[in-house]
Amino acid sequence: MKTKLIAVIFIITSSYFAVAQAEYAVDKGAVILSGNIGFSSSGGDLYGSKRSNIFTLTPSVSAFVSKNVFLGSALAFSYQSQGTENATSVQVGPHFGYAGGTATSTSFPFFIVGIRYLAERFNYNDYFSIRSSSRYGYSGIIGVGAVLTVSNHLGMTFEGDFNFVHLTRKNVSANGNIISLNIGLCGLLYKGPKK
Amino acid sequence: MKITINLVLLFVALSNLAMAQAEYAVDRAAVQITGSFGLITKGGKLYEEHGKRYSGLALSPSINCLLTRNFFFGGSIQYSSHTSDENNRSTISIGPHLGVISGNAGSNLFPYLSGGLSYHRDNISQLRGDDDTNIIHGTDITFSAGAVYAIAKHCGFNIGIQYSIVKLRENGNDLPVGDVLSFNIGITGLLFKGADKNTGTQ
């Protein structure tokens, strides 16, 4: 967990140094930042005798290593608990892609390919004790979409992804697939044109 | 669902008209937007029950319009729907809020306080067996505090804490009161025209 946190801080810090060179949103050194941190705790008689807590962390950063070509990573962490029962899920991994567009563009179509390490752990009560169950695996992601600039440093992302998921629990493996469509806001970090 | 989409379009159209006058992020007619839309469908042996895919939809737009400098009025919608082999559950929470946000043309940090009231409705439909639909509805009263930190001219991080009191009814009977405490960090759009060059305002 500590390593992942250091990796996220390193990516964010290094992105600040990189953006100083970039003249537009998909120029070398530009950075696209998105994600969310959320914590929610529900209590009172409506939600049961014990409070229900949910924590989620979903940062994603993509840095342009040359014009139009980006490399990045994403983390999706969630923790849910109620009483002594809890569930933890982690997805982390790198991605790369190509985003079209130039200094005058207001929309940047892109494609993205990535791989994620997945881990899930559940602690639950049976009648006599607390039991644990874990499963591990990976997912491969292929996505297409576009970033539309709302203003200078703010974009709206439209992205469709196909995920192939492989998970193993106690030497038993199963495959699944996830199709997702997402629209959200992202930060477009770059210095701007040279004067 | 159609009403929800129309409201989102109305919010976006109004925000485009309004922000044309604003010179900075908390000036009169400036607009702050946040939110996301997500659609997911899961299948394969790993996720399917009785050969049926799981699907979910989530939508959470929110908009604040500055009525005068530092005072805002806004609205938000939170809609989610989950369908599995056994049931379909959809939840909507929609309502207005009112608040105060400090800062001026030279600020990067804009602390705020707000309060709001939302209509809340849960529909739970059983897809197997007796085709039963259960409707729970009521109100959420929400208080929020936090700050928007501008990382670029029109883009900021919203760091906020919310406390909601939830009062619901089911089949005409009051359910016990609940409360939700939440903390959130996300990206916010700061929409304003910019400084008026004739007046030299920054």
Side-chain angles (χ1 to χ4, degrees):
Chain A
M1 186 61 207
K2 195 177 172 187
T3 315
K4 284 167 197 160
L5 189 63
I6 290 168
V8 172
I9 291 168
F10 173 76
I11 289 166
I12 291 170
T13 310
S14 54
S15 70
Y16 274 100
F17 290 105
V19 285
Q21 318 166 35
E23 293 183 20
Y24 56 94
V26 292
D27 193 11
K28 184 183 177 195
V31 170
I32 297 179
L33 198 63
S34 64
N36 197 63
I37 300 174
F39 171 74
S40 168
S41 175
S42 308
D45 291 338
L46 183 64
Y47 297 108
S49 58
K50 290 170 180 165
R51 290 191 79 86
S52 165
N53 303 303
I54 302 172
F55 174 74
T56 56
L57 174 68
T58 56
S60 172
V61 64
S62 298
F64 284 81
V65 290
S66 70
K67 283 184 186 177
N68 303 110
V69 177
F70 64 86
L71 192 65
S73 67
L75 168 70
F77 174 83
S78 75
Y79 175 80
Q80 297 186 37
S81 70
Q82 188 164 27
T84 53
E85 297 191 339
N86 59 65
T88 309
S89 166
V90 178
Q91 294 186 31
V92 63
H95 57 250
F96 70 93
Y98 179 89
T102 63
T104 55
S105 301
T106 54
S107 69
F108 306 97
F110 65 84
F111 79 83
I112 185 169
V113 176
I115 189 161
R116 304 274 186 266
Y117 167 74
L118 310 178
E120 295 175 353
R121 185 179 175 86
F122 309 93
N123 289 321
Y124 57 96
N125 289 332
D126 70 4
Y127 290 103
F128 306 106
S129 61
I130 297 171
R131 290 178 173 266
S132 290
S133 168
S134 300
R135 53 185 190 174
Y136 304 91
Y138 62 87
S139 74
I141 299 166
I142 299 171
V144 292
V147 175
L148 306 185
T149 51
V150 178
S151 61
N152 279 356
H153 295 278
L154 179 72
M156 192 171 272
T157 310
F158 298 78
E159 183 174 347
D161 289 326
F162 178 81
N163 291 24
F164 169 79
V165 184
H166 177 85
L167 285 173
T168 302
R169 178 175 170 267
K170 291 182 178 174
N171 297 323
V172 178
S173 296
N175 295 329
N177 62 77
I178 301 174
I179 299 167
S180 62
L181 175 68
N182 291 293
I183 303 173
L185 295 175
C186 65
L188 306 171
L189 307 184
Y190 56 95
K191 187 186 171 194
K194 282 179 188 164
K195 288 174 184 173
Chain B
M1 187 61 199
K2 195 177 172 186
I3 295 170
T4 309
I5 292 168
N6 286 338
L7 282 170
V8 173
L9 293 174
L10 181 68
F11 279 152
V12 174
L14 285 175
S15 67
N16 280 337
L17 288 175
M19 68 178 190
Q21 309 168 38
E23 293 182 13
Y24 56 91
V26 291
D27 192 12
R28 180 170 178 262
V31 171
Q32 297 175 352
I33 55 168
T34 186
S36 65
F37 168 87
L39 176 67
I40 191 166
T41 166
K42 294 179 172 183
K45 196 179 169 188
L46 187 62
Y47 300 113
E48 284 179 11
E49 290 173 25
H50 304 102
K52 192 163 183 185
R53 295 179 75 89
Y54 162 88
S55 52
L57 171 70
L59 175 74
S60 60
S62 176
I63 188 167
N64 294 334
C65 300
L66 277 284
L67 296 174
T68 65
R69 282 181 193 186
N70 304 116
F71 287 93
F72 65 85
F73 175 74
S76 63
I77 303 166
Q78 289 190 312
Y79 175 80
S80 67
S81 171
H82 303 278
T83 306
S84 66
D85 176 54
E86 293 188 343
N87 62 39
N88 168 265
R89 178 173 187 147
S90 64
T91 301
I92 188 164
S93 177
I94 181 169
H97 54 255
L98 195 64
V100 57
I101 183 163
S102 71
N104 54 44
S107 303
N108 280 332
L109 187 69
F110 307 100
Y112 65 84
L113 283 171
S114 74
L117 185 71
S118 299
Y119 171 71
H120 183 118
R121 183 182 170 107
D122 286 340
N123 276 33
I124 305 159
S125 305
Q126 300 301 327
L127 302 178
R128 291 160 69 90
D130 54 4
D131 274 349
D132 225 8
T133 298
N134 197 17
I135 297 172
I136 299 169
H137 64 94
T139 52
D140 299 346
I141 300 166
T142 302
F143 303 97
S144 306
V148 175
Y149 177 69
I151 54 169
K153 191 177 175 187
H154 294 281
C155 179
F157 278 126
N158 180 10
I159 302 161
I161 190 162
Q162 278 193 334
Y163 180 75
S164 300
I165 298 164
V166 184
K167 289 182 179 178
L168 300 176
R169 290 171 72 84
E170 182 179 17
N171 300 327
N173 300 316
D174 284 337
L175 293 174
V177 176
D179 66 273
V180 180
L181 179 68
S182 58
F183 171 77
N184 203 64
I185 301 178
I187 289 176
T188 290
L190 306 170
L191 306 184
F192 54 96
K193 185 186 171 193
D196 184 343
K197 287 170 186 168
N198 296 329
T199 60
T201 311
Q202 283 297 311

